[in-house]
Amino acid sequence: MLRESRIGKRYLHWVENRPVQFFHRLALHPNQLSFAALVLGLAALPAYSYALWLGGLVVLFSGLLDTIDGGLARKTGRSSPSGAFLDSVLDRYCDFFSVLGLWLFFFFHPTEHSFPITLLLYVFLAGSFMVSYTRARGEGLGLSTSVGFFGRAERVIFLGLGSVLSAVLKAVFPEAGWASDYLLLIVLLVFLALGTHWTAIQRIIFLYKGLKP
């Protein structure tokens, strides 16, 4: 997972030493950042409706705030079960808004692949929720797991960067069919749809074996 990789550790180190310190000086409560991430997540709807790259940037910034709120909670000694619960619930809404926003983009900017993309988005959303649910259910039964690659951070990065890069490729190669049809984004959605369900299956197997008497 991202948090366990070298790049992920450097990124989290930067978050702890830069953004977290900045918001700590502003005396903000971690829950305020959680709700700010939710507002940005909701903003993905009009952002994606306007432009693919803008929606991708909003998703990335919303994910950044979601990372910062946890660091701020630890920094200020405000980590609590209620805060963790609230953050987890708001994350699910953000996941839904990002996928719905991407669907709105293809609704207002239709291509010949709009229908299969809609199906991919449904499969991806279901996989995302199952990845989160299996972890939450396991923790509720006393067994924590982070098995699998497609945690929330990875999903946010792939979806956000994929949106931005697809828009850039279309602008740079306007005459190329593969760019105008957002082939890169479609491939990433297939990757995410399959990867999230595979991660969910890995967690199901891991938790079932761990909970089995």
Side-chain angles (χ1 to χ4, degrees), residues 77-89:
R78 289 173 169 168
S79 298
S80 66
S82 61
F85 167 76
L86 179 65
D87 181 60
S88 180
V89 170

Side-chain angles (χ1 to χ4, degrees), residues 76-114:
T76 58
R78 289 173 169 168
S79 298
S80 66
S82 61
F85 167 76
L86 179 65
D87 181 60
S88 180
V89 170
L90 297 183
D91 283 350
R92 302 293 76 75
Y93 276 108
C94 288
D95 290 341
F96 170 71
F97 290 145
S98 62
V99 174
L100 179 58
L102 193 52
W103 180 85
L104 285 174
F105 170 77
F106 286 103
F107 178 80
F108 289 112
H109 307 81
T111 72
E112 62 180 19
H113 303 299
S114 294

Side-chain angles (χ1 to χ4, degrees), residues 39-90:
V39 172
L40 267 182
L42 184 59
L45 302 183
Y48 266 122
S49 299
Y50 176 73
L52 185 61
W53 64 268
L54 184 59
L57 287 179
V58 169
V59 168
L60 291 173
F61 278 112
S62 177
L64 175 61
L65 283 182
D66 180 57
T67 303
I68 296 171
D69 65 4
L72 184 62
R74 291 186 295 271
K75 175 72 175 179
T76 58
R78 289 173 169 168
S79 298
S80 66
S82 61
F85 167 76
L86 179 65
D87 181 60
S88 180
V89 170
L90 297 183

